[in-house]
Amino acid sequence: MNEALHIKRLCLIGVGLIGGSLLRALRQAGVVNEIVGCGRTQATLEAALKLGVIDRFEQDPAKAVVGADVVVLAVPLGAMESIFAAIAPTLSSDVVLTDVGSAKASVVNAAEKVFSELPAGFVPGHPIAGTEKSGVEASFAELFDGRRVILTPTSRSSKAAIERTRAMWQACGAEVMEMDITHHDEVLAATSHLPHMLAYSLVDMLARRDDSQEIFDYAAGGFRDFTRIASSDPTMWHDIALANQEALATLLEQFSLDLQKLAEAVREGDSDYLKNIFTRAKQARDAFCGTQGRGMKGKGRVTRDEGRGKPSEKRKS
Ligand code: NAP
């Protein structure tokens, strides 16, 4: 047991892909004594128990958090406020309360609506790791290994709570950094939320065509690579789009303008314009892929991100 971290009782609300992976990693690291799972569906919690991901479960969040020294919320963004409201009366005064939501301002706003004063133990967080799959069955202990976790402490977060949250993620093999809440949402809008919108939109546009069957029949590896993240959970991405509305809408509008210019260049046969775009983009992507694996632990490059699969599912583009 790592005495610096040592969690006596961890309560996880939302035992799915991210929450389940966190629990598996913490168990593997040997830093937690008891894990209480909580969620809305009994079958999910029974499955988690059977998989050995949790030790016991409660369906009532207010009961689940009693006596927990660490509470993690891993539910969709749209459920955060109701969970905060349910647990507020029974949280221990010295609890470390954190979450894994993909947008941070909305989680802090939800907490502000519930708590008269944000708890000193509240440290919002976001692991930059995931797959297009959902549910506890898809969870695995290595998901966060060598990946980044961004903490966005509030002005009320205590140093001790930040350090404990940092230590929890480090025990999962993650590299932990801190970021301002608004900046987090702007950065993630560009790196994760916009690509998901583009993938969903492209697949939907093609699926609505009369010849969609033929299009999908002849789709090759490039189409599969580009659109894999369109298999992600619709509820989760609905919540993310609405939780990061401003930053995401701004980027989508900018992207539409660029796309319009690209369409004009194709129609007019503007080969300089096309070559410039493709060359700049190739250079930028090659540079990004060349640096992506550096500083990571273990066996070379791991290409998971919010939408990518296990290392074994890595494909060449
Ligand atoms: P997931 O696999 O669908 O797990 C979500 C869990 O929350 C499920 O166990 C679900 O239970 C439970 N849940 C849903 N609504 C609930 C409610 N109202 N009350 C209580 N429990 C509820 O989703 P996930 O991918 O782990 O995502 C969870 C969180 O992680 C989200 O906030 C997301 O933004 C964030 N995140 C996701 C990724 C990613 O790539 N997936 C990456 C980073 C962060 P049921 O069995 O009843 O559905």
Side-chain angles (χ1 to χ4, degrees):
M1 176 74 70
N2 173 347
E3 290 305 323
L5 175 55
H6 192 157
I7 301 169
K8 288 195 204 100
R9 180 181 296 166
L10 185 145
C11 171
L12 174 82
I13 306 182
V15 192
L17 169 72
I18 300 296
S21 297
L22 171 66
L23 298 183
R24 288 179 192 266
L26 291 175
R27 273 222 202 276
Q28 216 168 69
V31 294
V32 59
N33 281 356
E34 187 194 13
I35 296 175
V36 182
C38 177
R40 61 181 175 178
T41 310
Q42 184 159 343
T44 303
L45 297 168
E46 279 167 1
L49 196 60
K50 211 166 161 192
L51 288 167
V53 171
I54 58 176
D55 296 311
R56 62 182 177 86
F57 66 80
E58 293 280 354
Q59 277 192 271
D60 177 355
K63 282 191 190 149
V65 299
V66 171
D69 46 345
V70 175
V71 172
V72 181
L73 271 53
V75 293
L77 288 166
M80 294 284 181
E81 188 180 334
S82 64
I83 300 288
F84 281 132
I87 63 177
T90 49
L91 277 177
S92 306
S93 57
D94 56 352
V95 73
V96 169
L97 172 63
T98 187
D99 75 292
V100 301
S102 303
K104 300 299 353 144
S106 77
V107 176
V108 175
N109 290 342
E112 276 168 347
K113 282 190 198 155
V114 169
F115 298 98
S116 47
E117 195 171 49
L118 285 179
F122 177 44
V123 183
H126 177 202
I128 312 298
T131 79
E132 72 278 21
K133 304 210 170 67
S134 299
V136 67
E137 292 84 359
S139 65
F140 56 104
E142 299 76 23
L143 179 60
F144 309 111
D145 194 18
R147 307 307 297 174
R148 286 189 169 144
V149 172
I150 302 175
L151 303 183
T152 60
T154 73
S155 56
R156 296 255 321 137
S157 304
S158 72
K159 202 164 174 276
I162 296 170
E163 285 319 308
R164 211 150 144 70
T165 311
R166 176 184 288 276
M168 179 183 81
W169 285 111
Q170 284 172 336
C172 303
E175 181 194 341
V176 183
M177 56 213 306
E178 288 178 35
M179 215 182 255
D180 165 77
I181 295 167
T182 310
H183 188 55
H184 168 279
D185 286 1
E186 286 168 356
V187 170
L188 268 291
T191 57
S192 169
H193 307 170
L194 178 66
H196 278 80
M197 299 302 118
L198 302 187
Y200 278 128
S201 175
L202 172 68
V203 176
D204 180 57
M205 186 200 92
L206 297 178
R208 282 186 284 111
R209 286 171 56 119
D210 292 341
D211 57 353
S212 64
Q213 191 53 53
E214 196 177 10
I215 288 173
F216 291 124
D217 281 350
Y218 288 102
F223 179 81
R224 192 175 269 273
D225 285 349
F226 187 81
T227 59
R228 181 179 50 76
I229 53 180
S231 290
S232 304
D233 181 56
T235 303
M236 180 175 124
W237 283 97
H238 159 273
D239 287 6
I240 292 172
L242 296 186
N244 203 9
Q245 234 170 353
E246 185 53 39
L248 184 55
T250 302
L251 278 171
L252 279 165
E253 283 153 12
Q254 278 172 13
F255 189 79
S256 305
L257 292 177
D258 274 29
L259 210 52
Q260 217 171 313
K261 283 191 212 150
L262 183 61
E264 281 163 23
V266 171
R267 188 166 295 285
E268 289 162 13
D270 186 343
S271 80
D272 284 349
Y273 187 89
L274 297 178
K275 270 191 198 150
N276 282 338
I277 286 199
F278 301 159
T279 305
R280 272 200 312 268
K282 175 174 166 46
Q283 282 167 353
R285 187 176 189 278
D286 289 351
F288 157 72
C289 290
T291 55
Q292 199 186 24
R294 282 187 209 143
M296 287 182 181
K297 302 194 310 181
K299 331 104 205 158
R301 263 177 55 198
V302 179
T303 59
R304 290 187 304 271
D305 61 18
E306 288 234 326
R308 294 198 178 188
K310 295 184 192 185
S312 58
E313 292 170 359
K314 193 171 79 176
R315 280 178 294 271
K316 285 188 179 164
S317 48

